[in-house]
Structures are given as structure tokens and as C-alpha cells.
Amino acid sequence: MFQKVLIAEDHGLTGTGLRGRLLDLSIPDIQVVYYCDDALLRIKAGMRKGNPFEVLITDLSFKRDYRNRRLTSGEALITEVRKLQPHIKIVVYSVEHRIGKIRALYDDLKIDGFVGKERKDFNEIHTAITAVFEGNTYIPESLRQALRSAENQLKLDRQDIYLLELLAKGLKQEEIAHSFKKRNYSGSSLRSIQDRVGKLKIIFGAKNPIHLVAKAIERGFI
């Protein structure tokens, strides 16, 4: 079994519960942090000392508080951790239910497992960690069914979803192009953004950007 696991979870009781459940697997070193920035520091420290973490378990949503933070989401944390330690195993433990978003976690961020918090117990995290230790990617059966569903077979990449999120916030296409440039995304010109919006309108059968956002929300992509 794994020897060293890091849990990033801003709800103290949840982090403690996860740690307790993993102790049943006889994992000797289980650390819990409440901020993504702290998680990244622990990852760096482990690598520097020649004793890296083997698994990161992280939530996606972290509440804002008095502390200034650079990393404010589990997705941002995963992205940074993958740069530093590409082969670390990553399991997401989240209330996220949007199929498009979860698909992107597997396809783009290459997570090794996803467990939904709504189950209200920690039994499935035990199953997920065991599956990942055995070299498998863990996808709950209910999620497998949803991913297989014809309703959710749209293939959107990370940039498509980010564009939809910005449209949902009311940003104009010129502003979206600027955001793409800041993230160093390819196709960040206004024309490229217009073409991408046009492609998405065709995929979703939308008449205009407002209709596109409504369709994307309905299908669970944002």
C-alpha cells in the first residue's frame, strides 16, 4: 500500500475523516492541509527531501478567507503539482456533479480517481485508493454510466470549458481573447475566439452566446 499521502481539504472534519479512513489501509504518513498553497509547499518539500508524496487527495472548491492565496482551487493545485511531480497519483474528493467538468478532470488533468462527497461517508475513498494502488483509474459505477450516456458524449477540451465559463460570467469575446492570452492558451486572437464560439454553438445547437451558455449549463458543462 502507499506510504505517504497528502490531503488538501479546507473543511477540518472532512480532512480528519478522510485521514481516519485511510489509516484503515495502514498508510503510515497521512498529512492534511487546508490551503492549496500549503499543499504545493508540502509537495515541494517532500521532493526536496527525497521522500515525495505518492498520492494527493484534493477537493476542488476552497472557501475564501482572510489569507491571501495564489492557488484558489483544486484544479489549479493539480495543474501545478503535475508540473512538479508528473507521476503522483491524484484523487479528487468533491461535490462536483457536472459530467463535463468531471470528464475534463480525467481527460485534461489526468486524475487517477474521483469520489463524490454527497455519499456522506468515507467508504468509497478506501475503494478508490485501493484501486489506484493496484494501478487502475478509479471511476465510480454511477459516473461510468453517466459518462457513457449519449447525452454526455460531447467532447470539449479544457479551453472550450473555460470559454463557456467566461461567457457565463458575461465577458465579451474581446475580453475572453485577453483572458486566453494571459493563460497562454493557443488560439487567443479575437478571430480564434469567434471561431471557437461558432463551433460550440453548432455542437450545442445554440442560436447565440446566451443560448449557448444555457445549453452548456443544462448539459452540465459549467
Side-chain angles (χ1 to χ4, degrees), residues 58-88:
T58 182
D59 196 350
L60 295 178
S61 177
F62 289 77
K63 293 181 180 178
R64 295 183 180 276
D65 60 14
Y66 64 90
R67 178 171 169 174
N68 291 325
R69 298 174 295 164
R70 186 173 74 86
L71 302 177
T72 59
S73 71
E75 290 161 301
L77 171 61
I78 293 168
T79 299
E80 293 301 314
V81 169
R82 280 280 183 238
K83 293 176 184 177
L84 292 170
Q85 196 177 335
H87 302 298
I88 190 173

Side-chain angles (χ1 to χ4, degrees), residues 36-44 70-71 80-81 84:
C36 294
D37 290 338
D38 291 347
L40 190 61
L41 288 174
R42 294 282 181 98
I43 294 290
K44 290 179 178 178
R70 186 173 74 86
L71 302 177
E80 293 301 314
V81 169
L84 292 170

Side-chain angles (χ1 to χ4, degrees), residues 41-195:
L41 288 174
R42 294 282 181 98
I43 294 290
K44 290 179 178 178
M47 295 179 66
R48 187 171 61 250
K49 295 175 181 178
N51 185 26
F53 286 93
E54 298 165 278
V55 184
L56 168 65
I57 301 173
T58 182
D59 196 350
L60 295 178
S61 177
F62 289 77
K63 293 181 180 178
R64 295 183 180 276
D65 60 14
Y66 64 90
R67 178 171 169 174
N68 291 325
R69 298 174 295 164
R70 186 173 74 86
L71 302 177
T72 59
S73 71
E75 290 161 301
L77 171 61
I78 293 168
T79 299
E80 293 301 314
V81 169
R82 280 280 183 238
K83 293 176 184 177
L84 292 170
Q85 196 177 335
H87 302 298
I88 190 173
K89 302 298 184 181
I90 297 178
V91 175
V92 170
Y93 185 63
S94 171
V95 296
E96 181 61 65
H97 65 279
R98 294 170 293 178
I99 296 302
K101 196 83 167 182
I102 297 173
R103 183 193 291 279
L105 293 173
Y106 283 103
D107 292 348
D108 299 333
L109 296 184
K110 308 302 181 184
I111 67 169
D112 298 279
F114 180 92
V115 176
K117 278 187 177 181
E118 70 277 1
R119 296 181 182 275
K120 298 182 180 178
D121 63 43
F122 303 107
N123 289 333
E124 194 172 356
I125 201 71
H126 187 291
T127 304
I129 293 299
T130 301
V132 170
F133 178 72
E134 293 172 351
N136 301 311
T137 297
Y138 181 73
I139 305 175
E141 184 55 36
S142 60
L143 182 55
R144 287 182 185 276
Q145 294 173 4
L147 290 171
R148 286 195 298 261
S149 170
E151 183 65 12
N152 295 302
Q153 287 304 305
L154 294 180
K155 277 289 188 179
L156 302 186
D157 63 26
R158 195 174 179 186
Q159 294 182 27
D160 287 331
I161 292 176
Y162 182 58
L163 186 151
L164 290 170
E165 290 173 344
L166 294 181
L167 282 176
K169 292 178 180 178
L171 271 67
K172 297 179 180 179
Q173 293 183 24
E174 293 87 350
E175 295 171 313
I176 293 173
H178 180 67
S179 293
F180 269 52
K181 288 177 183 177
K182 288 179 64 177
R183 289 200 171 198
N184 294 318
Y185 281 163
S186 60
S188 59
S189 68
L190 177 58
R191 179 57 184 272
S192 295
I193 297 301
Q194 291 171 336
D195 289 345

Side-chain angles (χ1 to χ4, degrees), residues 194-216:
Q194 291 171 336
D195 289 345
R196 191 178 285 269
V197 170
K199 179 199 75 172
L200 290 171
K201 283 164 61 179
I202 293 171
I203 290 175
F204 283 94
K207 299 175 183 178
N208 52 54
I210 294 176
H211 191 207
L212 172 59
V213 169
K215 287 277 190 177

